[in-house]
């Protein structure tokens, strides 16, 4: 598989996807027809226009499933797919209703590049349980694409010791997840991404990432760190610590 899983679409002081455009071009390797899934957004038409403009330097044909075309047919004819950000629960629910999950999983596992940001990155995991989003809708299940066998937390924020009144930190939330589930969590700070190519998995970008796992202290991952061993993970959900 070829995966590019971004924490975010827009980096401070940069245009939409500008911080990752070279990496996107490298993943696509000249492919021309990109299917954009904007179902996580409440403004899919505007989101698609922003995506088209951002990817214009790559001379891509960007096709969106919200525009009335047959989503399954568009997926069948796509050279690559980009799943955009927004609300992860809405995204999963919409793709379940469109009956796209299984065919999308099959295409990606057969070699079609999967690019994503934010909610789309959550969708690449076995479940969306480590999203930061509010459950504004109720999908039929939390099961996602399982393109990687571990969880990802995009938009990871470090706790601010000067503001304890802000409530539970992101690391606390992930620690709570690990009490109930024995699955590593790769936390991507803003500007970071995960690139998977075959048996290789590298965290890269303009920021470091952080690895959480049950029973051990979190480990910071410098940009360029190889985490390929995590591709051998056997996730165990709903296995609370006794």
């Amino acid at each position: 598989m070829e995966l590019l899983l971004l924490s975010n679409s827009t980096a401070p002081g940069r245009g939409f996807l500008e911080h990752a455009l070279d990496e996107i071009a490298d993943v696509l390797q000249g492919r021309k027809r990109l299917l954009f899934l904007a179902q996580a957004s409440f403004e899919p038409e505007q989101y698609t226009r922003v995506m088209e403009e951002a990817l214009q330097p790559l001379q891509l044909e960007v096709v969106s499933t919200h525009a009335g075309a047959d989503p399954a047919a568009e997926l069948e004819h796509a050279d690559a797919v980009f799943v955009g950000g927004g609300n992860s629960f809405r995204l999963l629910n919409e793709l379940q209703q469109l009956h796209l999950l299984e065919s999308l999983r099959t295409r990606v596992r057969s070699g079609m590049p999967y690019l994503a940001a934010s909610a789309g990155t959550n969708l690449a995991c076995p479940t969306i349980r480590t999203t930061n989003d509010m459950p504004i809708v109720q999908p039929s299940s939390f099961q996602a694409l399982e393109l990687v066998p571990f969880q990802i937390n995009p938009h990871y924020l470090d706790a601010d010791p000067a503001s304890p009144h802000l409530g539970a930190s992101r690391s606390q939330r992930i620690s709570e997840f690990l009490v109930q589930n024995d699955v590593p969590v790769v936390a991507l700070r803003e500007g970071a991404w995960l690139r998977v190519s075959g048996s290789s998995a590298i965290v890269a970008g303009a920021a470091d990432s952080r690895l959480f796992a049950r029973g051990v202290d979190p480990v910071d991952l410098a940009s360029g760190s190889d985490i390929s061993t995590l591709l051998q993970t056997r996730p165990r959900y709903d296995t609370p610590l006794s």
Side-chain angles (χ1 to χ4, degrees), residues 39-230:
Q39 277 74 11
S41 172
F42 287 90
E43 299 178 311
E45 293 183 6
Q46 178 181 344
Y47 197 4
T48 300
R49 289 194 294 270
V50 171
M51 178 65 69
E52 289 173 336
E53 183 177 344
L55 298 180
Q56 193 171 18
L58 304 184
Q59 298 181 323
L60 292 167
E61 177 188 5
V62 178
V63 180
S64 178
T65 57
H66 79 274
D70 180 355
E74 293 294 355
L75 177 60
E76 182 65 27
H77 293 98
D79 297 323
V81 65
F82 194 115
V83 184
N87 185 279
S88 300
F89 294 94
R90 174 183 167 88
L91 172 64
L92 181 58
N93 186 63
E94 292 281 326
L95 295 188
Q96 287 171 347
Q97 293 185 1
L98 289 170
H99 304 290
L100 277 185
L101 284 176
E102 185 57 41
S103 53
L104 178 57
R105 182 186 297 113
T106 298
R107 287 292 321 272
V108 176
R109 288 182 174 176
S110 298
M112 181 183 71
Y114 179 98
L115 303 91
S118 189
T121 290
N122 284 316
L123 191 72
C125 302
T127 82
I128 62 166
R129 295 190 196 191
T130 50
T131 178
N132 307 309
D133 299 327
M134 183 179 290
I136 58 173
V137 295
Q138 182 170 314
S140 60
S141 78
F142 292 153
Q143 184 177 356
L145 290 174
E146 201 172 0
L147 302 178
V148 294
F150 49 84
Q151 291 296 129
I152 299 172
N153 177 243
H155 306 296
Y156 177 77
L157 295 173
D158 294 289
D160 183 358
S163 302
H165 62 281
L166 292 180
S169 67
R170 193 68 55 76
S171 61
Q172 286 175 287
R173 295 302 189 204
I174 295 174
S175 295
E176 292 170 357
F177 169 83
L178 291 171
V179 170
Q180 298 295 133
N181 307 277
D182 188 5
V183 188
V185 180
V186 177
L188 299 175
R189 294 183 173 95
E190 299 294 70
W193 60 70
L194 171 66
R195 173 80 181 268
V196 175
S197 182
S199 60
S200 169
I202 306 291
V203 287
D208 294 347
S209 300
R210 175 170 284 190
L211 175 62
F212 292 83
R214 177 182 279 185
V216 296
D217 292 334
V219 177
D220 281 327
L221 303 169
S223 180
S225 293
D226 189 325
I227 59 169
S228 302
T229 55
L230 289 183

Side-chain angles (χ1 to χ4, degrees), residues 15-36:
F16 188 82
L17 291 179
E18 184 180 359
H19 68 293
L21 197 60
D22 289 344
E23 196 76 11
I24 292 171
D26 189 62
V27 173
L28 292 177
Q29 292 289 328
R31 293 174 174 87
K32 293 301 182 183
R33 187 177 178 86
L34 178 76
L35 177 62
F36 178 48

